[in-house]
C-alpha cells in the first residue's frame, strides 16, 4: 500500500505540472532553482565549518537541525490551503487503517523538491563529521533520524490542526504568518550579516548555555549524537540517538491518533452567531466620512480592507515592510539620524500602490454600480478617501515609531505633510490607471498572493512600472526641496509642508477629473475588463 501512495504522490506532482499554465510552471522551476542553492549552501556550511572551526561545530549543527525542524513544521501549514494532498480528510473514503496510512504517507512525503533539498543539506553533516571507524554508522543514523523528525513531526502537526486550517480564521492567520516570515527572513539576513562582522570568539562562548538548552530538544539530541559520534564518544552518542528516535516514535503515535480521529469523527456543525445589524459607517469614522455617496463608497472600501483576503495581504505586507524599516534603523547605529523620520514617506508611497487597481477587488460585482447609475466622480472620490485614511494612519504610526527610535520628533509634522502630498499625487495617477487599465483578479482563491490577471501578467507589469515611474517623477520636486532643506537651507523644510499639500491636492484633482471623465462614458467597458472571461 505504501507503494501506491508514493505512486499517487508522483502522479499528483506530474499531472499538476502538466495541467498548470506556463506562469505556474515557471514559478515551480524558479522555486526549485531557488531551493537547490540553499540546499548546497547548507551542505557546504555543515561540511566545511565543523572542520575549519571545531568549537563551533555543535552550535552550528544544533541551529541548523532546529531550523530545519521548525521549517518543516511551519511551511506545510502555510501551503495547506493551496495543496489538497496535505489534507488527510480526503483519504477518509479509502479502506485503509491509520497505521497503513502513516507508513504510506511518510514515504510519500519524501517525494518532492523540499525533501530533496533537505537531504542534500543533511548529507553535508555526514561529510563534515564522519570519521573512519564505527562512529560513522551513528553519524549516518543521526542524519536519518533528523530527517524522520522533520517528516513525521510535520505530518503529525498538520493532521492535528487540519480541521482548524480549513476555517476562515486560519486563513487570516496564514496571511500574517507568511508575510511575517517573508519579511522577517529578509530582515534577519541583513541584520545577521551586520552582526556577523562583530562576532568574536568570546561571543561564541557566550552562546554555550543556549546551545546546551537547545541540546535537550529532539533535533538537539540528534545534533549532539552526531558530534559525539564523530569524537568517539559512542556510548553517549547512542543514548542521545535513542532519545531522538524515541521522539520520532512519540510523534508517530500522535500522528496515528490524530489521523484516526480525523478519519472517523464527523466535524461539528458551525455555530451561527446572531449579530446586531451594523450601520453603513463604522462608528469611529461617522464624523470623518461625508454622509453622501463618497462616504458610502469609502465605508465600503474600508470594510473590504478588513474582510477581503487579498486586500489584507497587500496591506499586511506594506505594514510589515514599514516595521522592518524601523527595526533596521534601530539595530544600525549609522542610520539613527533624526531626519530618518522622513523615511516614513515610503509607507505613503506603498499604500498608494494598492490603489492602482481600485476596481479589481470588485470584479464582476461592479455591475451593481453600473445598473444603479452611480456618479463615477463620487465613486472614485470615495475610494480615494478610504485609501487616504488608511495610508495616513500607517504613515503617522511609522513616523512616530521612527521618531521614538531616532529622537527626530521635530520632523514628524514635515513627514505627515509630505505623506499627505505623496498620497494625493499618487492617487491622482492611480485614478487614471485603475480605470484605463483595469484587470480582474485570479479566480483561484487558494493563492492569496496572486494579484495579477491570468494571461495579462506582462501587460499588468508594464502598466504598473510606468505608473511607478510617473509617480516617482512627480515626487521628484518635493524630494529636491527636502534635500535642499536638509543640506543647505533648513527653512525649506517648513516651506515644503504647505507646498506638498497644495501640490498633492492639485495633481489629485487633475487625475480624478481625467479618470472620472473617461469612466462617465465607458462604464460598460470597465465592467467587461473586470470579467474573468477577458483573462481566459
Amino acid at each position: 500500500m505504501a507503494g501506491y501512495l508514493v505512486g499517487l504522490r508522483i502522479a499528483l506532482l506530474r499531472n499538476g505540472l502538466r495541467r498548470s499554465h506556463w506562469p505556474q510552471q515557471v514559478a515551480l522551476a524558479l522555486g526549485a532553482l531557488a531551493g537547490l542553492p540553499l540546499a548546497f549552501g547548507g551542505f557546504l556550511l555543515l561540511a566545511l565549518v565543523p572542520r575549519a572551526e571545531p568549537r563551533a561545530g555543535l552550535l552550528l549543527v544544533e541551529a541548523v537541525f532546529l531550523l530545519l525542524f521548525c521549517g518543516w513544521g511551519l511551511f506545510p501549514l502555510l501551503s495547506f490551503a493551496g495543496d489538497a494532498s496535505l489534507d488527510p480528510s480526503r483519504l477518509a473514503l479509502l479502506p485503509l487503517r491509520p497505521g497503513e496510512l502513516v507508513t504510506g504517507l511518510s514515504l510519500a512525503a519524501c517525494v518532492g523538491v523540499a525533501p530533496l533539498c533537505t537531504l542534500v543539506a543533511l548529507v553535508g553533516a555526514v561529510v563534515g563529521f564522519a570519521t573512519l571507524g564505527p562512529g560513522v554508522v551513528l553519524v549516518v543514523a543521526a542524519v536519518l533520524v533528523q530527517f524522520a523528525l522533520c517528516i513525521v513531526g510535520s505530518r503529525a502537526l498538520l493532521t492535528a490542526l487540519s480541521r482548524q486550517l480549513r476555517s476562515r480564521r486560519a486563513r487570516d492567520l496564514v496571511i500574517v504568518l507568511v508575510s511575517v516570515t517573508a519579511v522577517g527572513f529578509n530582515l534577519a539576513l541583513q541584520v545577521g550579516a551586520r552582526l556577523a562582522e562583530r562576532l568574536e570568539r568570546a561571543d561564541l562562548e557566550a552562546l554555550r548555555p543556549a546551545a546546551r538548552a537547545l541540546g535537550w530538544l529532539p533535533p538537539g539530541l540528534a545534533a549532539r549524537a552526531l558530534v559525539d559520534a564523530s569524537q568517539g564518544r559512542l556510548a553517549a552518542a547512542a543514548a542521545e540517538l535513542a532519545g531522538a528516535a524515541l521522539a520520532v516514535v512519540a510523534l508517530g503515535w500522535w500522528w496515528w491518533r490524530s489521523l484516526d480521529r480525523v478519519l472517523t469523527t464527523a466535524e461539528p456543525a458551525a455555530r451561527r452567531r446572531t449579530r446586531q445589524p451594523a450601520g453603513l459607517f463604522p462608528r469611529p469614522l461617522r464624523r470623518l466620512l461625508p454622509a453622501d455617496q463618497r462616504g458610502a463608497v469609502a465605508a465600503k472600501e474600508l470594510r473590504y480592507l478588513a474582510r477581503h483576503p487579498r486586500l489584507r495581504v497587500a496591506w499586511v505586507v506594506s505594514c510589515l515592510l514599514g516595521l522592518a524599516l524601523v527595526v533596521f534603523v534601530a539595530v544600525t547605529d549609522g542610520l539613527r539620524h533624526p531626519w530618518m523620520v522622513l523615511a516614513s514617506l515610503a509607507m505613503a508611497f506603498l499604500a498608494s500602490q494598492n490603489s492602482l487597481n481600485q476596481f479589481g477587488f470588485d470584479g464582476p460585482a461592479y455591475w451593481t454600480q453600473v445598473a444603479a447609475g452611480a456618479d463615477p466622480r463620487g465613486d472614485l472620490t470615495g475610494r480615494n478617501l478610504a485609501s487616504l485614511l488608511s495610508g495616513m494612519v500607517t504613515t503617522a504610526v511609522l513616523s512616530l515609531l521612527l521618531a521614538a527610535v531616532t529622537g527626530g520628533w521635530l520632523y514628524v509634522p514635515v513627514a505627515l505633510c509630505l505623506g499627505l502630498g505623496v498620497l494625493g499625487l499618487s492617487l491622482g495617477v492611480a485614478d487614471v490607471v485603475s480605470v484605463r487599465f483595469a484587470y480582474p483578479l485570479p479566480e483561484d482563491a487558494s493563492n492569496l498572493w496572486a494579484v495579477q490577471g491570468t494571461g495579462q501578467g506582462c501587460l499588468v507589469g508594464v502598466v504598473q512600472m510606468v505608473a511607478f515611474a510617473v509617480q516617482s517623477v512627480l515626487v521628484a520636486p518635493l524630494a529636491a526641496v527636502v534635500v535642499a532643506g536638509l543640506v543647505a537651507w533648513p527653512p525649506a523644510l517648513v516651506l515644503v509642508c504647505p507646498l506638498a499639500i497644495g501640490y498633492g491636492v492639485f495633481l489629485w484633482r487633475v487625475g480624478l477629473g481625467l479618470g472620472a471623465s473617461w469612466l462617465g462614458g465607458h462604464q460598460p467597458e470597465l465592467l467587461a475588463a473586470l470579467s474573468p472571461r477577458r483573462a481566459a
Side-chain angles (χ1 to χ4, degrees):
M1 183 52 62
Y4 286 106
L5 291 176
V6 173
L8 178 62
R9 175 65 177 175
I10 295 175
L12 288 174
L13 292 175
R14 182 178 62 251
N15 294 335
L17 182 61
R18 181 182 303 170
R19 294 182 179 181
S20 59
H21 300 287
W22 71 266
Q24 297 172 336
Q25 295 175 354
V26 171
L28 181 60
L30 292 178
L33 293 176
L36 290 177
L38 291 177
F40 285 113
F43 174 87
L44 295 176
L45 187 67
L46 292 176
L48 300 180
V49 173
R51 297 188 181 276
E53 188 65 34
R55 301 180 62 182
L58 177 59
L59 181 61
L60 174 66
V61 176
E62 286 180 346
V64 172
F65 278 19
L66 183 61
L67 287 176
L68 285 175
F69 183 74
C70 294
W72 270 87
L74 176 64
F75 287 104
L77 297 179
L78 304 181
S79 59
F80 183 85
D83 190 354
S85 63
L86 297 176
D87 191 353
S89 65
R90 296 180 179 270
L91 305 175
L93 297 180
L94 297 179
L96 299 176
R97 296 181 179 179
E100 296 174 329
L101 287 176
V102 167
T103 304
L105 292 177
S106 298
L107 295 176
C110 299
V111 178
V113 177
L116 176 62
C117 295
T118 303
L119 281 176
V120 170
L122 290 177
V123 168
V126 178
V127 177
F129 288 92
T131 57
L132 296 177
V136 67
V137 178
L138 293 178
V139 169
V140 175
V143 169
L144 294 178
V145 168
Q146 170 62 21
F147 185 70
L149 275 172
C150 294
I151 297 293
V152 178
S154 172
R155 287 288 181 170
L157 181 62
L158 195 68
T159 304
L161 300 178
S162 60
R163 289 181 178 175
Q164 289 77 13
L165 291 174
R166 287 190 290 270
S167 65
R168 180 179 176 180
R169 292 182 178 178
R171 296 187 65 184
D172 295 342
L173 182 61
V174 165
I175 294 174
V176 178
L177 287 179
V178 171
S179 305
V180 170
T181 302
V183 177
F185 181 73
N186 189 13
L187 183 63
L189 289 179
Q190 299 181 21
V191 176
R194 292 180 176 272
L195 295 180
E197 299 175 356
R198 310 173 188 175
L199 187 64
E200 300 178 356
R201 192 177 300 272
D203 300 323
L204 187 63
E205 294 296 330
L207 298 176
R208 296 295 177 184
R212 283 192 287 268
L214 295 177
W216 292 104
L217 298 175
L221 290 175
R224 289 170 57 183
L226 186 76
V227 176
D228 289 340
S230 66
Q231 296 176 355
R233 296 190 291 268
L234 301 184
E240 291 160 351
L241 188 60
L246 184 62
V248 174
V249 174
L251 289 173
W253 178 83
W254 181 35
W255 183 13
W256 180 83
R257 293 289 299 173
S258 301
L259 193 60
D260 182 64
R261 183 176 63 254
V262 169
L263 298 180
T264 58
T265 305
E267 295 189 15
R271 298 181 180 179
R272 295 184 178 180
R273 298 181 179 179
T274 58
R275 296 181 178 179
Q276 296 294 331
L280 175 62
F281 297 95
R283 182 172 299 177
L285 300 177
R286 288 178 181 175
R287 296 184 178 181
L288 294 177
L289 299 178
D292 53 14
Q293 179 194 4
R294 298 169 300 173
V297 174
K300 185 258 295 182
E301 291 297 316
L302 292 174
R303 292 186 186 277
Y304 269 18
L305 179 61
R307 298 179 181 180
H308 199 292
R310 282 197 176 99
L311 193 56
R312 281 181 294 182
V313 166
W315 282 103
V316 166
V317 172
S318 300
C319 293
L320 288 176
L321 288 175
L323 183 61
L325 175 63
V326 176
V327 176
F328 187 72
V329 171
V331 300
T332 307
D333 295 334
L335 293 179
R336 295 185 185 180
H337 302 290
W339 52 264
M340 281 300 299
V341 175
L342 300 179
S344 59
L345 296 179
M347 180 61 70
F349 202 77
L350 289 173
S352 64
Q353 304 309 303
N354 297 326
S355 301
L356 291 176
N357 189 28
Q358 299 182 73
F359 298 92
F361 295 99
D362 291 339
Y366 182 70
W367 73 269
T368 57
Q369 301 186 43
V370 177
D375 180 23
R377 188 179 185 89
D379 189 13
L380 279 174
T381 304
R383 296 172 188 269
N384 295 163
L385 182 58
S387 300
L388 182 66
L389 287 175
S390 54
M392 282 305 299
V393 168
T394 53
T395 303
V397 171
L398 180 59
S399 63
L400 293 176
L401 290 176
L402 288 173
V405 172
T406 62
W409 296 102
L410 293 177
Y411 291 90
V412 172
V414 180
L416 294 180
C417 294
L418 288 172
L420 186 60
V422 169
L423 277 170
L425 65 91
S426 300
L427 289 174
V429 176
D431 286 342
V432 178
V433 173
S434 58
V435 299
R436 298 300 299 268
F437 301 98
Y439 58 91
L441 298 182
E443 295 180 353
D444 184 13
S446 60
N447 186 5
L448 301 179
W449 286 262
V451 295
Q452 292 186 358
T454 306
Q456 297 180 347
C458 294
L459 177 61
V460 170
V462 170
V463 170
Q464 291 185 345
M465 289 178 61
V466 172
F468 182 82
V470 172
Q471 291 172 343
S472 301
V473 171
L474 295 177
V475 171
L478 296 179
V481 177
V482 171
V483 172
L486 293 174
V487 176
W489 193 47
L493 295 177
V494 179
L495 297 177
V496 78
C497 293
L499 176 64
I501 296 176
Y503 182 65
V505 170
F506 171 74
L507 292 178
W508 169 71
R509 291 183 66 88
V510 172
L512 177 65
L514 293 175
S517 62
W518 186 89
L519 186 58
H522 298 83
Q523 283 186 321
E525 286 84 347
L526 178 60
L527 179 59
L530 297 175
S531 174
R533 288 178 297 180
R534 289 288 299 272

mmCIF file of all heavy atoms in Angstrom, residues 157-184:
data_model
loop_
_atom_site.group_PDB
_atom_site.id
_atom_site.type_symbol
_atom_site.label_atom_id
_atom_site.label_comp_id
_atom_site.label_asym_id
_atom_site.label_seq_id
_atom_site.Cartn_x
_atom_site.Cartn_y
_atom_site.Cartn_z
ATOM 1 N N LEU A 157 1.774 17.392 13.085
ATOM 2 C CA LEU A 157 1.217 18.709 13.386
ATOM 3 C C LEU A 157 0.154 19.089 12.361
ATOM 4 O O LEU A 157 -0.894 19.654 12.717
ATOM 5 C CB LEU A 157 2.344 19.737 13.396
ATOM 6 C CG LEU A 157 1.955 21.181 13.723
ATOM 7 C CD1 LEU A 157 1.373 21.268 15.130
ATOM 8 C CD2 LEU A 157 3.151 22.101 13.582
ATOM 9 N N LEU A 158 0.388 18.776 11.097
ATOM 10 C CA LEU A 158 -0.571 19.104 10.045
ATOM 11 C C LEU A 158 -1.883 18.357 10.240
ATOM 12 O O LEU A 158 -2.967 18.921 10.081
ATOM 13 C CB LEU A 158 0.036 18.762 8.690
ATOM 14 C CG LEU A 158 -0.647 19.337 7.452
ATOM 15 C CD1 LEU A 158 -0.476 20.839 7.418
ATOM 16 C CD2 LEU A 158 -0.059 18.708 6.201
ATOM 17 N N THR A 159 -1.808 17.082 10.608
ATOM 18 C CA THR A 159 -3.030 16.304 10.818
ATOM 19 C C THR A 159 -3.792 16.782 12.039
ATOM 20 O O THR A 159 -5.023 16.862 12.035
ATOM 21 C CB THR A 159 -2.673 14.812 10.957
ATOM 22 O OG1 THR A 159 -1.930 14.393 9.801
ATOM 23 C CG2 THR A 159 -3.922 13.961 11.086
ATOM 24 N N ALA A 160 -3.074 17.104 13.104
ATOM 25 C CA ALA A 160 -3.738 17.547 14.332
ATOM 26 C C ALA A 160 -4.464 18.876 14.134
ATOM 27 O O ALA A 160 -5.503 19.126 14.764
ATOM 28 C CB ALA A 160 -2.721 17.669 15.464
ATOM 29 N N LEU A 161 -3.959 19.733 13.257
ATOM 30 C CA LEU A 161 -4.553 21.059 13.041
ATOM 31 C C LEU A 161 -5.352 21.154 11.750
ATOM 32 O O LEU A 161 -5.713 22.257 11.338
ATOM 33 C CB LEU A 161 -3.451 22.126 13.023
ATOM 34 C CG LEU A 161 -2.603 22.266 14.286
ATOM 35 C CD1 LEU A 161 -1.541 23.326 14.089
ATOM 36 C CD2 LEU A 161 -3.463 22.592 15.490
ATOM 37 N N SER A 162 -5.620 20.013 11.096
ATOM 38 C CA SER A 162 -6.249 20.059 9.773
ATOM 39 C C SER A 162 -7.636 20.693 9.821
ATOM 40 O O SER A 162 -8.024 21.441 8.915
ATOM 41 C CB SER A 162 -6.324 18.648 9.191
ATOM 42 O OG SER A 162 -7.087 17.797 10.037
ATOM 43 N N ARG A 163 -8.413 20.407 10.848
ATOM 44 C CA ARG A 163 -9.763 20.987 10.927
ATOM 45 C C ARG A 163 -9.709 22.487 11.131
ATOM 46 O O ARG A 163 -10.479 23.246 10.539
ATOM 47 C CB ARG A 163 -10.550 20.327 12.051
ATOM 48 C CG ARG A 163 -10.940 18.890 11.742
ATOM 49 C CD ARG A 163 -11.733 18.277 12.862
ATOM 50 N NE ARG A 163 -12.143 16.917 12.513
ATOM 51 C CZ ARG A 163 -12.778 16.099 13.355
ATOM 52 N NH1 ARG A 163 -13.064 16.505 14.578
ATOM 53 N NH2 ARG A 163 -13.107 14.893 12.960
ATOM 54 N N GLN A 164 -8.800 22.934 11.970
ATOM 55 C CA GLN A 164 -8.679 24.368 12.192
ATOM 56 C C GLN A 164 -8.149 25.090 10.961
ATOM 57 O O GLN A 164 -8.518 26.235 10.697
ATOM 58 C CB GLN A 164 -7.744 24.645 13.385
ATOM 59 C CG GLN A 164 -8.321 24.282 14.731
ATOM 60 C CD GLN A 164 -8.293 22.790 15.006
ATOM 61 O OE1 GLN A 164 -7.638 22.030 14.294
ATOM 62 N NE2 GLN A 164 -9.000 22.352 16.042
ATOM 63 N N LEU A 165 -7.310 24.428 10.175
ATOM 64 C CA LEU A 165 -6.734 25.072 8.995
ATOM 65 C C LEU A 165 -7.743 25.269 7.879
ATOM 66 O O LEU A 165 -7.498 26.051 6.954
ATOM 67 C CB LEU A 165 -5.555 24.238 8.470
ATOM 68 C CG LEU A 165 -4.314 24.205 9.359
ATOM 69 C CD1 LEU A 165 -3.290 23.237 8.799
ATOM 70 C CD2 LEU A 165 -3.709 25.598 9.485
ATOM 71 N N ARG A 166 -8.872 24.558 7.940
ATOM 72 C CA ARG A 166 -9.896 24.744 6.922
ATOM 73 C C ARG A 166 -10.837 25.893 7.249
ATOM 74 O O ARG A 166 -11.747 26.188 6.463
ATOM 75 C CB ARG A 166 -10.710 23.448 6.752
ATOM 76 C CG ARG A 166 -9.961 22.347 6.036
ATOM 77 C CD ARG A 166 -10.883 21.196 5.683
ATOM 78 N NE ARG A 166 -11.305 20.457 6.848
ATOM 79 C CZ ARG A 166 -10.665 19.413 7.358
ATOM 80 N NH1 ARG A 166 -9.558 18.988 6.772
ATOM 81 N NH2 ARG A 166 -11.101 18.794 8.435
ATOM 82 N N SER A 167 -10.646 26.553 8.373
ATOM 83 C CA SER A 167 -11.528 27.644 8.771
ATOM 84 C C SER A 167 -11.031 28.968 8.214
ATOM 85 O O SER A 167 -9.888 29.106 7.773
ATOM 86 C CB SER A 167 -11.615 27.729 10.297
ATOM 87 O OG SER A 167 -10.355 28.066 10.848
ATOM 88 N N ARG A 168 -11.898 29.965 8.256
ATOM 89 C CA ARG A 168 -11.540 31.295 7.744
ATOM 90 C C ARG A 168 -10.525 31.973 8.656
ATOM 91 O O ARG A 168 -9.636 32.680 8.180
ATOM 92 C CB ARG A 168 -12.805 32.149 7.639
ATOM 93 C CG ARG A 168 -12.544 33.554 7.118
ATOM 94 C CD ARG A 168 -13.817 34.356 7.008
ATOM 95 N NE ARG A 168 -13.549 35.728 6.601
ATOM 96 C CZ ARG A 168 -14.483 36.643 6.433
ATOM 97 N NH1 ARG A 168 -15.753 36.334 6.638
ATOM 98 N NH2 ARG A 168 -14.178 37.868 6.066
ATOM 99 N N ARG A 169 -10.629 31.757 9.950
ATOM 100 C CA ARG A 169 -9.672 32.379 10.863
ATOM 101 C C ARG A 169 -8.260 31.866 10.598
ATOM 102 O O ARG A 169 -7.285 32.617 10.707
ATOM 103 C CB ARG A 169 -10.078 32.097 12.309
ATOM 104 C CG ARG A 169 -11.366 32.790 12.731
ATOM 105 C CD ARG A 169 -11.681 32.494 14.184
ATOM 106 N NE ARG A 169 -12.898 33.188 14.607
ATOM 107 C CZ ARG A 169 -13.417 33.074 15.823
ATOM 108 N NH1 ARG A 169 -12.822 32.313 16.746
ATOM 109 N NH2 ARG A 169 -14.521 33.744 16.132
ATOM 110 N N ALA A 170 -8.157 30.566 10.255
ATOM 111 C CA ALA A 170 -6.836 30.025 9.963
ATOM 112 C C ALA A 170 -6.247 30.666 8.718
ATOM 113 O O ALA A 170 -5.040 30.931 8.646
ATOM 114 C CB ALA A 170 -6.919 28.510 9.798
ATOM 115 N N ARG A 171 -7.088 30.938 7.710
ATOM 116 C CA ARG A 171 -6.575 31.598 6.514
ATOM 117 C C ARG A 171 -6.099 33.010 6.824
ATOM 118 O O ARG A 171 -5.105 33.481 6.270
ATOM 119 C CB ARG A 171 -7.663 31.628 5.439
ATOM 120 C CG ARG A 171 -8.079 30.257 4.952
ATOM 121 C CD ARG A 171 -9.023 30.345 3.786
ATOM 122 N NE ARG A 171 -8.363 30.932 2.629
ATOM 123 C CZ ARG A 171 -8.980 31.199 1.488
ATOM 124 N NH1 ARG A 171 -10.273 30.953 1.368
ATOM 125 N NH2 ARG A 171 -8.324 31.727 0.477
ATOM 126 N N ASP A 172 -6.799 33.687 7.731
ATOM 127 C CA ASP A 172 -6.332 35.013 8.145
ATOM 128 C C ASP A 172 -4.983 34.911 8.848
ATOM 129 O O ASP A 172 -4.099 35.750 8.652
ATOM 130 C CB ASP A 172 -7.360 35.662 9.069
ATOM 131 C CG ASP A 172 -8.677 35.951 8.355
ATOM 132 O OD1 ASP A 172 -8.671 35.964 7.114
ATOM 133 O OD2 ASP A 172 -9.696 36.134 9.034
ATOM 134 N N LEU A 173 -4.843 33.879 9.684
ATOM 135 C CA LEU A 173 -3.572 33.693 10.370
ATOM 136 C C LEU A 173 -2.455 33.358 9.391
ATOM 137 O O LEU A 173 -1.307 33.784 9.566
ATOM 138 C CB LEU A 173 -3.716 32.590 11.417
ATOM 139 C CG LEU A 173 -2.487 32.294 12.278
ATOM 140 C CD1 LEU A 173 -2.082 33.528 13.072
ATOM 141 C CD2 LEU A 173 -2.749 31.123 13.212
ATOM 142 N N VAL A 174 -2.785 32.602 8.342
ATOM 143 C CA VAL A 174 -1.789 32.266 7.331
ATOM 144 C C VAL A 174 -1.283 33.528 6.643
ATOM 145 O O VAL A 174 -0.094 33.662 6.333
ATOM 146 C CB VAL A 174 -2.395 31.274 6.313
ATOM 147 C CG1 VAL A 174 -1.535 31.196 5.059
ATOM 148 C CG2 VAL A 174 -2.521 29.895 6.942
ATOM 149 N N ILE A 175 -2.182 34.467 6.385
ATOM 150 C CA ILE A 175 -1.771 35.732 5.764
ATOM 151 C C ILE A 175 -0.690 36.407 6.592
ATOM 152 O O ILE A 175 0.347 36.839 6.084
ATOM 153 C CB ILE A 175 -2.985 36.661 5.596
ATOM 154 C CG1 ILE A 175 -3.974 36.072 4.579
ATOM 155 C CG2 ILE A 175 -2.553 38.053 5.161
ATOM 156 C CD1 ILE A 175 -5.253 36.871 4.474
ATOM 157 N N VAL A 176 -0.932 36.486 7.893
ATOM 158 C CA VAL A 176 0.029 37.163 8.766
ATOM 159 C C VAL A 176 1.327 36.369 8.855
ATOM 160 O O VAL A 176 2.428 36.931 8.772
ATOM 161 C CB VAL A 176 -0.593 37.364 10.162
ATOM 162 C CG1 VAL A 176 0.408 38.012 11.107
ATOM 163 C CG2 VAL A 176 -1.845 38.226 10.065
ATOM 164 N N LEU A 177 1.221 35.040 8.998
ATOM 165 C CA LEU A 177 2.422 34.229 9.166
ATOM 166 C C LEU A 177 3.305 34.258 7.934
ATOM 167 O O LEU A 177 4.531 34.385 8.039
ATOM 168 C CB LEU A 177 2.026 32.784 9.506
ATOM 169 C CG LEU A 177 1.483 32.543 10.915
ATOM 170 C CD1 LEU A 177 1.104 31.082 11.089
ATOM 171 C CD2 LEU A 177 2.507 32.946 11.964
ATOM 172 N N VAL A 178 2.708 34.122 6.749
ATOM 173 C CA VAL A 178 3.503 34.143 5.526
ATOM 174 C C VAL A 178 4.180 35.501 5.355
ATOM 175 O O VAL A 178 5.368 35.584 5.023
ATOM 176 C CB VAL A 178 2.622 33.806 4.309
ATOM 177 C CG1 VAL A 178 3.384 34.037 3.020
ATOM 178 C CG2 VAL A 178 2.160 32.367 4.377
ATOM 179 N N SER A 179 3.436 36.571 5.581
ATOM 180 C CA SER A 179 4.004 37.902 5.414
ATOM 181 C C SER A 179 5.115 38.155 6.435
ATOM 182 O O SER A 179 6.185 38.676 6.092
ATOM 183 C CB SER A 179 2.895 38.957 5.550
ATOM 184 O OG SER A 179 1.846 38.698 4.644
ATOM 185 N N VAL A 180 4.863 37.776 7.694
ATOM 186 C CA VAL A 180 5.884 37.967 8.729
ATOM 187 C C VAL A 180 7.115 37.118 8.424
ATOM 188 O O VAL A 180 8.262 37.566 8.590
ATOM 189 C CB VAL A 180 5.303 37.621 10.114
ATOM 190 C CG1 VAL A 180 6.403 37.564 11.159
ATOM 191 C CG2 VAL A 180 4.265 38.657 10.522
ATOM 192 N N THR A 181 6.912 35.885 7.948
ATOM 193 C CA THR A 181 8.035 35.005 7.648
ATOM 194 C C THR A 181 8.889 35.566 6.521
ATOM 195 O O THR A 181 10.120 35.574 6.594
ATOM 196 C CB THR A 181 7.527 33.606 7.276
ATOM 197 O OG1 THR A 181 6.749 33.078 8.349
ATOM 198 C CG2 THR A 181 8.687 32.670 6.997
ATOM 199 N N ALA A 182 8.234 36.047 5.455
ATOM 200 C CA ALA A 182 8.988 36.573 4.316
ATOM 201 C C ALA A 182 9.786 37.821 4.695
ATOM 202 O O ALA A 182 10.984 37.918 4.404
ATOM 203 C CB ALA A 182 8.032 36.883 3.162
ATOM 204 N N VAL A 183 9.112 38.759 5.364
ATOM 205 C CA VAL A 183 9.808 39.987 5.756
ATOM 206 C C VAL A 183 10.852 39.703 6.833
ATOM 207 O O VAL A 183 11.959 40.250 6.808
ATOM 208 C CB VAL A 183 8.788 41.039 6.241
ATOM 209 C CG1 VAL A 183 9.493 42.292 6.725
ATOM 210 C CG2 VAL A 183 7.832 41.397 5.115
ATOM 211 N N GLY A 184 10.507 38.838 7.788
ATOM 212 C CA GLY A 184 11.452 38.505 8.849
ATOM 213 C C GLY A 184 12.695 37.804 8.333
ATOM 214 O O GLY A 184 13.810 38.045 8.817
#
